[in-house]
Amino acid sequence: MLSKYQSQQTAINHFDKTTLSLLKPYFHMMFASDDKIPWFHNLLEISKHNLALAHCIQHNATARYLLETCSTSLLSNDFHDTIGCYSSVKSQDTLKLENNRITGKKYWVSNLHVADFGIMRIPTRDAEAYLMFDFHHLPHVKTFECDQIGLEMSRPGTFEVRDYEFQSKHILGQRDYLDNQSPFVKILNFHDYCFVTNYLGCLMRL
């Protein structure tokens, strides 16, 4: 059972593994849990006072739950041992996957500056592939072209990969665009609910 987050506990000005350790009682939940309401209540409480922190929690959780749904063997057992990032397809993206090799750039990735891994969606003809990027072993270049404005601690960035061959275990699967039965869809819906929760927290704080 998750603990209830209190508003006075929001004096956090960065997002890292120490922060995750502090947040564990309020957000450490398996996605298969039937009762996600306390998780969203805690996110709502944080978003009222610290939208940047809520945004970081959202993107970390989405990345973890995508791994949990597809392959728990790739996911650390400890909640605060790893930080994840997630990003949907952006119009500027140039990442391409061909014969398990990937090359190109991925733009506007929240949590990138502190992430151990990332889950990215890559278009492949009539579908999209879900790939896990292990930033400790993947040759890549990160850039942060924008100033830390707005959601300071989430600091979106760009990374580039050049002709890297992915291991099969890091290709989590593919989803046809019209497939609403894919296990990925539940996590994407969860991610959208997080956005709505964070917007609601902002409105309630006004």
Side-chain angles (χ1 to χ4, degrees):
M1 183 68 179
L2 296 177
S3 300
K4 184 177 180 180
Y5 195 90
Q6 304 295 329
S7 60
Q8 63 267 26
Q9 295 170 307
T10 54
I12 298 174
N13 56 18
H14 57 277
F15 188 73
D16 57 17
K17 293 173 185 177
T18 300
T19 304
L20 275 182
S21 182
L22 294 172
L23 294 172
K24 184 175 181 177
Y26 317 103
F27 292 100
H28 187 202
M29 175 193 74
M30 300 297 288
F31 189 78
S33 169
D34 291 331
D35 188 7
K36 298 180 179 64
I37 293 176
W39 195 99
F40 278 100
H41 275 303
N42 288 338
L43 185 67
L44 177 65
E45 191 61 36
I46 286 181
S47 65
K48 293 177 187 177
H49 305 273
N50 193 332
L51 182 59
L53 178 58
H55 188 78
C56 291
I57 292 169
Q58 169 189 355
H59 283 74
N60 176 65
T62 300
R64 289 185 64 87
Y65 290 146
L66 282 167
L67 274 190
E68 179 188 312
T69 299
C70 302
S71 177
T72 53
S73 63
L74 295 174
L75 186 62
S76 166
N77 290 327
D78 258 329
F79 178 75
H80 57 274
D81 271 359
T82 54
I83 295 178
C85 61
Y86 161 80
S87 181
S88 57
V89 178
K90 306 295 193 300
S91 60
Q92 312 98 304
D93 293 348
T94 60
L95 282 181
K96 292 184 179 179
L97 178 67
E98 293 183 3
N99 299 320
N100 285 14
R101 305 191 75 88
I102 191 150
T103 190
K105 286 186 176 183
K106 183 75 187 75
Y107 290 86
W108 211 251
V109 184
S110 296
N111 287 357
L112 181 62
H113 62 301
V114 292
D116 299 289
F117 72 96
I119 307 296
M120 308 298 152
R121 295 157 60 185
I122 314 297
T124 58
R125 296 187 180 179
D126 297 328
E128 58 182 8
Y130 288 68
L131 273 62
M132 174 191 170
F133 291 75
D134 181 349
F135 292 125
H136 294 296
H137 299 97
L138 170 73
H140 67 287
V141 176
K142 295 179 182 177
T143 55
F144 300 91
E145 299 168 354
C146 62
D147 294 330
Q148 295 187 40
I149 58 175
L151 305 180
E152 297 94 343
M153 72 176 74
S154 66
R155 195 182 184 193
T158 298
F159 70 88
E160 181 177 8
V161 181
R162 296 180 180 176
D163 195 29
Y164 178 76
E165 184 173 3
F166 258 75
Q167 298 181 47
S168 296
K169 68 178 182 180
H170 289 161
I171 301 176
L172 305 182
Q174 295 199 33
R175 179 181 76 90
D176 293 339
Y177 289 117
L178 299 180
D179 179 9
N180 290 324
Q181 304 304 314
S182 166
F184 295 123
V185 172
K186 292 183 179 180
I187 313 299
L188 301 182
N189 289 341
F190 167 88
H191 188 71
D192 290 341
Y193 294 152
C194 289
F195 271 123
V196 173
T197 301
N198 290 342
Y199 294 155
L200 177 60
C202 289
L203 292 173
M204 294 174 69
R205 187 61 177 172
L206 292 177

